[in-house]
Amino acid sequence: MATNIINMNNVSKTYLKNSHVVKAVDNVDLSVKRGEFLGIMGMSGSGKTTLINLIAGFDTPTSGKIMVDGFDLSTFNDEQFSQFRNKKIGMVFQQFNLIREFNVLQNVIVPSIIANKDYSTIVEIARRLLYEQGLEARLFHYPNELSGGEQQKVGIARSLMNDPTIVLVDEPTANLDRKSAEKIAGMLEGMHNNGKTLIVISHDQNILKNANRVITMEYGQLIHSTK
Ligand SMILES: Nc1ncnc2c1ncn2[C@@H]1O[C@H](COP(=O)(O)OP(=O)(O)OP(=O)(O)O)[C@@H](O)[C@H]1O
Ligand SMILES: [Mg+2]
């Protein structure tokens, strides 16, 4: 088993907007060890979300090579990308991305329904994950009936449904109060202790205090690394 679960070599992502070229990710070399907890900081627009979208295969690089868990992402067709994301990647979005028309339980089970798993097993796993988040009384509530922190926890439960190898988390506590933020920090630490590879974009010292390494992005480049 390779030590590095993620290897990015000379990766760039360029967007063309109104004939203006934006180098969202600019010649990045990044290796992440299996089981590592990597923090990413950097000012708005520095390319953090683009970077994790490239790792998740939500976006494809303009140039460079990305290897994730032994796979060269450039070789994937759409179907292979979907399977890869569904099985290997857990994604926690800054804006939660919950489906408004679905209740909490329905939102959480979506990734496993897509993976075609046994329904009663799925519901059992979802209930356990939601219980761990303290949301057992909220199973049949809809996203608009939940606080921001509760919605974020639903997003975290959903990201763990298929027991992903890598969890990518985009500013999990940006809009949360101190107490909710601390709970989320604890959950992330729990994932790390369970052996998940964790990449977390955050400016919250409390969230990144257990990170093995924190990198900073500036104008699409990695400019700084600690530890
Ligand atoms: N789909 C797109 N089309 C055009 N430009 C884009 C697109 N996505 C991102 N960009 C640009 O790429 C740059 C990096 O964006 P990105 O979302 O990765 O930044 P970020 O570091 O996550 O910022 P924030 O902290 O505000 O979330 C920005 O200048 C942004 O405007
Ligand atoms: Mg972002």
Side-chain angles (χ1 to χ4, degrees), residues 48-49 94 170-171:
K48 306 179 298 295
T49 298
Q94 182 176 2
D170 200 347
E171 310 221 20

Side-chain angles (χ1 to χ4, degrees), residues 19-42:
S19 69
H20 185 76
V21 176
V22 179
K23 275 203 155 186
V25 169
D26 187 6
N27 269 319
V28 163
D29 286 310
L30 175 67
S31 296
V32 182
K33 289 197 176 70
R34 199 173 285 277
E36 183 173 1
F37 176 175
L38 176 73
I40 303 182
M41 297 175 69

Side-chain angles (χ1 to χ4, degrees), residues 12-143:
S12 294
K13 177 69 191 184
T14 307
Y15 292 111
L16 192 62
K17 211 173 186 182
N18 308 327
S19 69
H20 185 76
V21 176
V22 179
K23 275 203 155 186
V25 169
D26 187 6
N27 269 319
V28 163
D29 286 310
L30 175 67
S31 296
V32 182
K33 289 197 176 70
R34 199 173 285 277
E36 183 173 1
F37 176 175
L38 176 73
I40 303 182
M41 297 175 69
M43 61 185 184
S44 184
S46 59
K48 306 179 298 295
T49 298
T50 306
L51 188 79
I52 62 169
N53 281 341
L54 290 170
I55 294 169
F58 281 120
D59 214 340
T60 50
T62 312
S63 60
K65 183 171 170 172
I66 305 175
M67 298 284 300
V68 181
D69 207 10
F71 294 102
D72 179 345
L73 298 195
S74 70
T75 65
F76 281 173
N77 60 28
D78 286 353
E79 173 61 27
Q80 288 167 321
F81 260 127
S82 312
Q83 281 199 21
F84 161 79
R85 271 196 299 268
N86 192 243
K87 285 193 181 135
K88 300 261 178 201
I89 306 282
M91 190 95 172
V92 182
F93 302 90
Q94 182 176 2
Q95 303 300 335
F96 319 135
N97 288 12
L98 301 178
I99 300 168
R100 294 164 54 91
E101 294 79 9
F102 283 10
N103 66 32
V104 165
L105 187 62
Q106 290 166 333
N107 264 286
V108 170
I109 66 178
V110 165
S112 297
I113 296 285
I114 291 170
N116 235 339
K117 295 189 174 166
D118 169 66
Y119 188 74
S120 57
T121 313
I122 292 175
V123 171
E124 201 177 300
I125 294 170
R127 281 177 179 271
R128 177 177 55 75
L129 288 168
L130 287 163
Y131 179 82
E132 283 169 12
Q133 311 278 2
L135 287 174
E136 64 275 17
R138 298 287 199 192
L139 300 186
F140 305 108
H141 286 231
Y142 286 81

Side-chain angles (χ1 to χ4, degrees), residues 189-226:
E189 189 47 21
M191 290 183 205
H192 184 215
N193 292 338
N194 283 334
K196 306 256 180 248
T197 302
L198 202 56
I199 302 184
V200 181
I201 298 172
S202 180
H203 292 98
D204 187 336
Q205 294 299 334
N206 201 32
I207 289 286
L208 296 185
K209 69 172 186 277
N210 294 311
N212 301 116
R213 183 163 57 119
V214 179
I215 58 175
T216 303
M217 290 194 76
E218 197 173 291
Y219 301 112
Q221 299 182 331
L222 300 187
I223 55 150
H224 181 63
S225 172
T226 64

